[in-house]
Amino acid sequence: MTMLSMAQALNLALRDALTADDNVVVFGEDVGTLGGVFRVTDRLTKDFGEARCFDTPLAESGIVGFAVGMTMAGFRPVVEMQFDAFAYPAFEQVVSHVAKIRNRTRGKLSVPMVIRIPYAGGIGGVEHHCDSSEAYYAHTPGLKVVAPANVADAYSLLRAAIDDPDPVIFLEPKRLYFSRADVEPIAERRLGGAAVRRSGRDVTVVAYGPSVDVALEAAEAAASEGRDLEVIDLRSIVPLDDRTITESVRKTGRCLVIHEAQTFAGVGAEIAARVQERCFHYLEAPVLRVGGFDIPYPAPKLERIHLPSVDRILDSIDRLQWNDGPDTRWAVGA
């Protein structure tokens, strides 16, 4: 067991991948000499050389397009989009080429690449430095989308993503980069498994990335009110672990989904739909969501209002129809 920050765990995962496979290369803006804005690539250029970890021009579309070409030559690129909203200039490359080449070539070519994206809020970032863009990628067939919520998963999921034969969007919660934990670095075998972070009998709370810690904090607060919350950490948005979610909801009868992105057409909407399709006769109340508001990401001073909080989660828990009488809050116009 080693005490690591999330940034250090990601750095170790990159080091171990570079050591294990000569075809793994790391590149992006300021990942070389500087070691990345968040120091995730610290000393990789010094230790592995400029051919294995190098800086690129400030051109996200070029970075991803270059990576696509490298996969066709047998490499496994790991590229960094310096901030979440910086990745949008590369979106056409991701949607039109990264996600489609395997299908376009009938499986003759694959795109084993990882696009690392520091994402979400909680750091008081200005415009273009905080965003929650997971729904764009999750809605794109051909991509896998991963969001670790703790230090151990940062290591294991990144190793699995690099080894995966398909392209992976790897979302790294910025506000957790310097969280610390004792970790035994173990590489995940495959992507797609959720984890039950807290067992409970009353409500299933589904979260991922930076929202998992908030969900766990809310579960502690709810326990003092006599309500027992089960918290599921998705870990992987695509592929989605339907079985773990379904088994939990069939046990608890209630479900709440939490994420920082806007609630409209977000990942939570898909989870809510799947739960109601698979667990309809087990549900005691409608599936609810707690997410960001349907607005552009706010300025730093307003960020705490926008992001899901313990109080907002507890308020939603209270709406999950805990009595036998009619709940007029669901009436039309209420």
Side-chain angles (χ1 to χ4, degrees):
M1 300 290 284
T2 306
M3 177 65 73
L4 296 173
S5 68
M6 180 177 282
Q8 290 170 331
L10 293 165
N11 180 274
L12 181 60
L14 292 171
R15 286 179 174 279
D16 289 349
L18 287 162
T19 301
D21 186 348
D22 289 340
N23 290 319
V24 174
V25 290
V26 177
F27 54 93
E29 298 166 4
D30 294 323
V31 303
T33 303
L34 180 65
V37 172
F38 298 99
R39 302 300 184 266
V40 171
T41 56
D42 189 38
R43 298 178 64 86
L44 294 183
T45 298
K46 179 178 181 180
D47 295 342
F48 292 92
E50 292 184 351
R52 303 290 307 282
C53 179
F54 53 89
D55 291 328
T56 65
L58 305 183
E60 287 78 12
S61 181
I63 293 169
V64 174
F66 179 52
V68 171
M70 292 193 76
T71 65
M72 294 179 180
F75 290 95
R76 287 181 173 269
V78 183
V79 303
E80 178 182 303
M81 302 286 103
Q82 198 168 73
F83 285 91
D84 30 39
F86 289 11
Y88 297 140
F91 195 66
E92 190 277 333
Q93 289 282 354
V94 173
V95 172
S96 297
H97 304 293
V98 174
K100 291 184 171 65
I101 284 178
R102 179 186 287 278
N103 184 69
R104 183 182 298 146
T105 63
R106 298 184 180 181
K108 292 181 181 179
L109 292 176
S110 60
V111 187
M113 62 182 286
V114 178
I115 301 176
R116 293 181 41 247
I117 303 179
Y119 99 113
I123 65 166
V126 296
E127 188 178 16
H128 301 307
H129 290 72
C130 284
D131 208 351
S132 296
S133 49
E134 60 267 30
Y136 299 132
Y137 302 110
H139 190 68
T140 305
L143 301 177
K144 295 179 180 177
V145 184
V146 176
N150 58 54
V151 177
D153 275 359
Y155 177 89
S156 64
L157 292 176
L158 183 54
R159 288 297 308 276
I162 295 170
D163 290 341
D164 200 275
D166 292 310
V168 180
I169 305 296
F170 197 85
L171 302 171
E172 300 170 4
K174 293 191 288 288
R175 74 164 175 252
L176 299 182
Y177 271 137
F178 301 107
S179 60
R180 302 181 68 83
D182 285 321
V183 176
E184 183 178 355
I186 299 175
E188 193 89 357
R189 289 189 174 183
R190 64 182 181 86
L191 302 174
V196 178
R197 298 300 182 194
R198 177 190 173 108
S199 296
R201 64 179 183 275
D202 295 333
V203 183
T204 297
V205 180
V206 182
Y208 54 87
S211 296
V212 173
D213 281 349
V214 184
L216 290 169
E217 188 179 348
E220 289 292 330
S224 66
E225 300 176 359
R227 289 177 179 163
D228 193 12
L229 275 54
E230 180 152 295
V231 177
I232 294 177
D233 174 2
L234 287 184
R235 305 171 77 238
S236 168
I237 299 170
V238 180
L240 183 69
D241 185 354
D242 281 304
R243 175 174 293 182
T244 297
I245 299 169
T246 299
E247 288 177 351
S248 177
V249 175
R250 289 182 177 181
K251 176 181 67 175
T252 65
R254 293 176 172 86
C255 183
L256 180 69
V257 188
I258 306 169
H259 56 60
E260 291 191 7
Q262 300 94 314
T263 52
F264 184 82
V267 171
E270 175 64 23
I271 295 170
R274 285 172 175 255
V275 167
Q276 295 190 145
E277 288 171 358
R278 293 160 172 76
C279 305
F280 181 79
H281 294 289
Y282 295 84
L283 289 171
E284 300 289 342
V287 180
L288 299 184
R289 294 167 290 158
V290 178
F293 299 112
D294 297 327
I295 59 172
Y297 206 91
K301 289 185 178 180
L302 300 175
E303 188 179 47
R304 62 180 178 80
I305 300 172
H306 177 71
L307 299 177
S309 64
V310 170
D311 286 342
R312 287 178 61 198
I313 294 170
L314 294 178
D315 286 345
S316 293
I317 296 294
D318 287 341
R319 295 172 57 205
L320 289 172
Q321 298 188 4
W322 295 96
N323 55 52
D324 295 329
D327 191 337
T328 57
R329 286 173 293 185
W330 298 108
V332 175

